[in-house]
Amino acid sequence: MYKIHCLNNISKIGLGELTDQYELTDNIEEADAILVRSANMHEMELPASVKCVARAGAGVNNIPLEAYAEKGIPVFNTPGANANAVKELVLCGMLIAARDVVGGIEWCKENAADENIGKSAEKAKKAFAGGEIMGKTLGVIGLGAIGKLVVESAEALGMSVVGYDPYLDAEKAAAISANMKFTTDLNELLAASDYASIHVPALPSTIGMINAEAIAAMKDGAVFLNFSRDTLVDAEAMAAGLASGKVRRYVTDFATPAVVAMPGAIVIPHLGASTAEAEDNCATMAAQEVMAYLERGEKIHCVNMK
């Protein structure tokens, strides 16, 4: 009998994938495998019984990958399982940046006591008017599981799309969309885009990649969306871009003291993958990965060992 310890609440639908060879345990000291979502494992001392760790999500910055690899403990993630949830929030972000929906909602709350709010709204609404995304150009930085879905949906909404991914060539990019313009020059994408959305992992090569130089290359009045990792964007450079009007809106799913203080930023409290469906999908994939490893030694979506 294999024993599984959950460091966070894991979807019951996902745990339902476990066969009768498995049981959950509250005692980590006897666990054969650990399922985790957001718990920080960097300071944890793993018991000798633990044979693998599965993260019910894509990002693994809360897990000490190299240290576990040295101990022979593979770490699995669940790429693509929450991609649709993030894609939908990216579309939401574009729409609330295109039209000042948030400002309009706040106006309604502030004027709730006005008996003639309907008539007052007709005069006030011009302050919240915006534009449409149809016919605009969206730049998609990173064409992985989420980026692909963003491209597809944006084109379905009538947008033109420019794609950039240093790990793809033109042929592979064309397989994602024949209509997407593919470029190997990030600045070319930024200069062409009314909206730009970043979908890359946080690596030494990507952290801070949206810096002052990248922002200077953007089309004047562009909207930048970040639903990947806060560290991809240089906060000081983005604040300067917003203050100058170079960037019209910065939509981010990562609340930090610096970004919350930026006029022109629309900050969402990390809701990208927070849907019941995404949590079910991630937990299901994680459970399947654990079973494949413990029973057959298969390393599916292993991020720290070959």
Side-chain angles (χ1 to χ4, degrees), residues 23-40:
E23 67 178 12
L24 300 178
T25 178
D26 291 331
N27 182 7
I28 192 173
E29 297 297 328
E30 63 180 12
D32 294 289
I34 290 176
L35 295 179
V36 61
R37 288 174 58 202
S38 59
N40 188 340

Side-chain angles (χ1 to χ4, degrees), residues 60 65 167 200-209 229 231-232:
V60 288
L65 302 181
Y167 299 102
V200 301
L203 302 171
S205 60
T206 61
I207 290 174
M209 66 183 290
R229 286 290 181 269
T231 53
L232 301 174

Side-chain angles (χ1 to χ4, degrees), residues 117-295:
I117 189 170
K119 291 183 178 180
S120 299
E122 290 303 314
K123 296 179 180 178
K125 68 181 183 181
K126 61 183 179 182
F128 312 111
E132 300 177 15
I133 63 173
M134 183 176 180
K136 303 300 192 300
T137 297
L138 170 66
V140 180
I141 304 165
L143 298 169
I146 297 170
K148 291 176 183 178
L149 295 181
V150 172
V151 170
E152 178 184 10
S153 295
E155 290 183 339
L157 290 170
M159 301 185 80
S160 298
V161 178
V162 181
Y164 165 84
D165 193 314
Y167 299 102
L168 296 185
D169 56 27
E171 183 179 354
K172 291 179 180 178
I176 296 172
S177 169
N179 295 319
M180 177 182 68
K181 179 182 177 182
F182 180 69
T183 179
T184 57
D185 185 340
L186 177 59
N187 286 349
E188 181 183 354
L189 176 148
L190 294 171
S193 301
D194 301 294
Y195 297 82
S197 188
I198 191 165
H199 302 283
V200 301
L203 302 171
S205 60
T206 61
I207 290 174
M209 66 183 290
I210 304 303
N211 52 22
E213 180 183 351
I215 290 171
M218 290 182 187
K219 178 184 286 191
D220 290 345
V223 171
F224 194 84
L225 303 108
N226 179 9
F227 290 84
S228 290
R229 286 290 181 269
D230 63 311
T231 53
L232 301 174
V233 176
D234 182 302
E236 185 176 344
M238 182 56 71
L242 287 166
S244 69
K246 181 69 175 181
V247 182
R248 183 165 60 85
R249 289 277 192 233
Y250 175 44
V251 187
T252 177
D253 202 23
F254 306 100
T256 66
V259 77
V260 170
M262 294 179 193
I266 298 173
V267 187
I268 300 168
H270 203 193
L271 299 181
S274 296
T275 67
E277 294 88 346
E279 291 181 9
D280 290 345
N281 292 341
C282 289
T284 296
M285 187 182 292
Q288 292 170 344
E289 291 165 350
V290 164
M291 291 189 292
Y293 181 71
L294 293 178
E295 295 174 28

Side-chain angles (χ1 to χ4, degrees), residues 37-59:
R37 288 174 58 202
S38 59
N40 188 340
M41 301 184 69
H42 284 277
E43 302 302 322
M44 287 182 59
E45 187 66 37
L46 282 189
S49 61
V50 174
K51 302 172 180 66
C52 64
V53 174
R55 158 81 160 96

